[in-house]
């Protein structure tokens, strides 16, 4: 079977780099920790000293609730009484139906995907006060932080203003001051101030420049053959005049590799022809083939982003931590 290796020292180096900007990290481990394996990654984060994480839904929070002091659920439904679980409040409508006492208010400062609108904040705070909700955090999300443009600063300034208002409200009503957080990975080095906590995902996993990739995919050879003046695979989109050796390895598009019709550059060799559901053919004779060890390189084969390939790595593939 193929194996996904998770490189602990690279993860820790990425965390060191993030910590040098702001040591208070709300680590984003939604969607099976971007495909790396939510339990595998949670154990490592706990070992590093991470105390707070963000997940997608309640099912994910349940899996890892023993690991952390606080788990923020981005898209919660239903109610859970666990004290270490916080719900993101993504709209005033959701707040009115909410029964979970520990919350983070998500504010729409410009992405317009979800979040409480600026002119709803006053009412939202009054509801929280009346219903005795504990506002543990207030946050927002950037729409364009991977680009060099002014949206990030407009959102930053807006968030700063909102922070002052909410802090004033809390002080006047004797409420505990919430933590404020807005910085995703690509905003980390762009902001004058990263507020109380930072909220990185892809940087931890090394899916952007400046950070070390932590996932490598190693496939096993299942058979070797020679062809000459012949093709390989469905529709024989690859053809060789010369006599060559090919190894079939045990990874295909069912495992999360994006579909390709005519080859793909791997770490040391090339896949040729069309990828099959469970297999692909590579040039040369191998017992094992490194499909990728840096997602930033592998993604260049496809019209997609590092996030998508990582997150779609099949949970069936075994995750193994290496030092
Ligand atoms: C996914 C997500 C993040 C992390 O984003 P990266 O680009 O991976 O750093 C942060 N905040 C929210 C609300 C998210 O949905």
């Amino acid at each position: 079977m193929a194996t996904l290796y998770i490189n602990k020292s690279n993860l820790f180096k990425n965390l060191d780099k993030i910590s040098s900007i702001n040591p208070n990290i709300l680590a984003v481990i939604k969607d099976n920790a971007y495909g790396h394996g939510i339990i595998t990654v949670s154990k490592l984060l706990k070992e590093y000293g991470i105390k707070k994480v963000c997940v997608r839904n309640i099912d994910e929070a349940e899996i890892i609730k023993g690991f952390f002091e606080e788990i923020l659920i981005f898209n919660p439904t239903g109610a859970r009484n666990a004290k270490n679980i916080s719900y993101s409040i993504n709209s005033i409508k959701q707040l009115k139906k909410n029964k979970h006492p520990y919350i983070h208010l998500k504010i729409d400062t410009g992405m317009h995907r979800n979040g409480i609108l600026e002119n709803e904040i006053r009412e939202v705070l009054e509801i929280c006060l009346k219903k005795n909700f504990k506002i543990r955090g207030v946050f927002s999300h950037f729409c364009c932080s991977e680009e060099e443009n002014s949206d990030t600063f407009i959102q930053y300034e807006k968030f700063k203003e909102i922070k002052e208002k909410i802090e004033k409200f809390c002080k006047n009503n004797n409420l505990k001051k919430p933590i404020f957080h807005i910085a995703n990975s690509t905003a980390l080095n762009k902001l004058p101030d990263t507020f109380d906590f930072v909220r990185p995902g892809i940087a931890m996993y090394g899916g952007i420049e400046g950070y070390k990739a932590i996932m490598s995919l190693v496939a096993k050879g299942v058979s070797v053959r020679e062809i000459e003046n012949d093709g390989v695979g469905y529709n024989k989109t690859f053809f060789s005049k010369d006599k060559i050796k090919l190894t079939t390895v045990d990874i295909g598009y069912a495992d999360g590799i994006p579909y390709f019709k005519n080859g793909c550059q791997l770490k040391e060799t090339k896949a040729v022809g069309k990828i099959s559901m469970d297999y692909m053919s590579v040039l040369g004779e191998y017992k094992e083939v490194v499909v990728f060890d840096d997602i930033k390189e592998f993604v260049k084969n496809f019209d997609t982003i590092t996030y998508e390939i990582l997150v779609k790595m099949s949970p069936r593939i075994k995750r193994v931590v290496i030092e």
Side-chain angles (χ1 to χ4, degrees):
M1 247 314 256
T3 308
L4 278 170
Y5 293 97
I6 307 298
N7 188 315
K8 175 175 153 179
S9 53
N10 282 358
L11 172 64
F12 282 19
K13 278 177 202 152
N14 293 338
L15 288 166
D16 285 346
K17 186 164 177 180
I18 297 163
S19 299
S20 72
I21 298 164
N22 187 335
N24 298 321
I25 300 174
L26 246 168
V28 180
I29 55 168
K30 67 189 178 196
D31 296 285
N32 202 27
Y34 288 38
H36 292 69
I38 194 162
I39 295 177
T40 305
V41 169
S42 292
K43 284 181 186 162
L44 295 174
L45 292 178
K46 186 181 154 91
E47 186 184 331
Y48 186 84
I50 297 291
K51 302 267 189 309
K52 295 178 192 281
V53 295
C54 309
V55 298
R56 178 172 180 169
N57 56 28
I58 286 176
D59 292 344
E60 285 194 334
E62 284 291 329
I63 298 171
I64 50 134
K65 69 179 177 211
F67 286 102
F68 301 105
E69 274 174 17
E70 186 181 3
I71 300 164
L72 171 60
I73 303 177
F74 281 145
N75 187 19
T77 48
R80 285 288 184 287
N81 256 341
K83 227 186 146 173
N84 69 335
I85 289 181
S86 303
Y87 277 20
S88 168
I89 299 297
N90 298 319
S91 69
I92 191 165
K93 199 171 144 208
Q94 181 202 344
L95 181 72
K96 285 176 179 167
K97 288 190 287 191
N98 178 55
K99 293 195 167 63
H100 189 76
Y102 310 108
I103 58 175
H104 285 230
L105 300 176
K106 171 115 181 247
I107 314 290
D108 183 359
T109 55
M111 179 148 180
H112 306 324
R113 181 173 67 179
N114 55 26
I116 292 152
L117 305 178
E118 231 183 315
N119 62 14
E120 297 168 337
I121 292 175
R122 187 81 213 175
E123 190 186 348
V124 160
L125 293 172
E126 297 292 348
I127 295 171
C128 292
L129 196 60
K130 207 172 102 204
K131 296 200 175 169
N132 205 17
F133 291 148
K134 304 280 177 281
I135 308 172
R136 285 178 168 168
V138 176
F139 71 114
S140 189
H141 197 45
F142 289 119
C143 62
C144 311
S145 57
E146 81 278 18
E147 299 167 26
E148 297 296 334
N149 72 20
S150 55
D151 283 272
T152 305
F153 296 97
I154 295 167
Q155 287 189 261
Y156 168 84
E157 288 298 334
K158 199 167 268 179
F159 190 65
K160 219 167 100 173
E161 243 173 66
I162 290 166
K163 176 176 184 272
E164 277 157 26
K165 272 190 213 151
I166 294 179
E167 280 178 342
K168 207 161 140 200
F169 180 91
C170 290
K171 196 167 169 222
N172 292 343
N173 291 282
N174 270 326
L175 301 175
K176 197 171 167 229
K177 207 173 90 128
I179 59 166
F180 288 79
H181 49 101
I182 190 167
N184 58 326
S185 299
T186 49
L188 286 171
N189 55 7
K190 290 202 174 78
L191 304 179
D193 173 9
T194 54
F195 301 98
D196 301 320
F197 272 75
V198 291
R199 216 173 54 240
I202 200 71
M204 292 193 299
Y205 309 107
I208 51 171
E209 289 307 324
Y211 297 89
K212 292 174 186 304
I214 71 166
M215 181 195 280
S216 350
L217 174 59
V218 178
K220 277 256 176 325
V222 290
S223 77
V224 178
R225 61 210 53 229
E226 270 181 357
I227 60 166
E228 183 177 359
N229 229 354
D230 205 350
V232 64
Y234 288 115
N235 311 102
K236 296 197 170 175
T237 55
F238 170 79
F239 185 88
S240 176
K241 242 177 136 51
D242 303 330
K243 191 185 217 178
I244 55 163
K245 269 192 180 162
L246 296 172
T247 303
T248 306
V249 298
D250 63 345
I251 275 286
Y253 61 81
D255 300 299
I257 304 288
Y259 190 72
F260 56 82
K261 290 181 175 160
N262 208 342
C264 166
Q265 184 62 48
L266 311 181
K267 168 81 176 168
E268 292 140 356
T269 178
K270 259 178 109 141
V272 293
K274 282 188 178 175
I275 184 172
S276 298
M277 196 178 287
D278 302 338
Y279 301 106
M280 57 194 198
S281 299
V282 307
L283 292 177
E285 183 173 354
Y286 297 94
K287 284 205 177 80
E288 280 189 345
V289 170
V290 180
V291 177
F292 61 82
D293 68 356
D294 187 347
I295 195 63
K296 297 187 284 300
E297 288 304 312
F298 188 59
V299 73
K300 292 175 185 164
N301 287 292
F302 309 100
D303 180 22
T304 182
I305 54 175
T306 55
Y307 296 73
E308 190 186 17
I309 302 178
L310 293 173
V311 80
K312 286 186 174 167
M313 279 296 122
S314 169
R316 278 195 312 253
I317 308 172
K318 196 171 164 203
R319 273 72 174 161
V320 174
V321 175
I322 51 172
E323 290 294 318

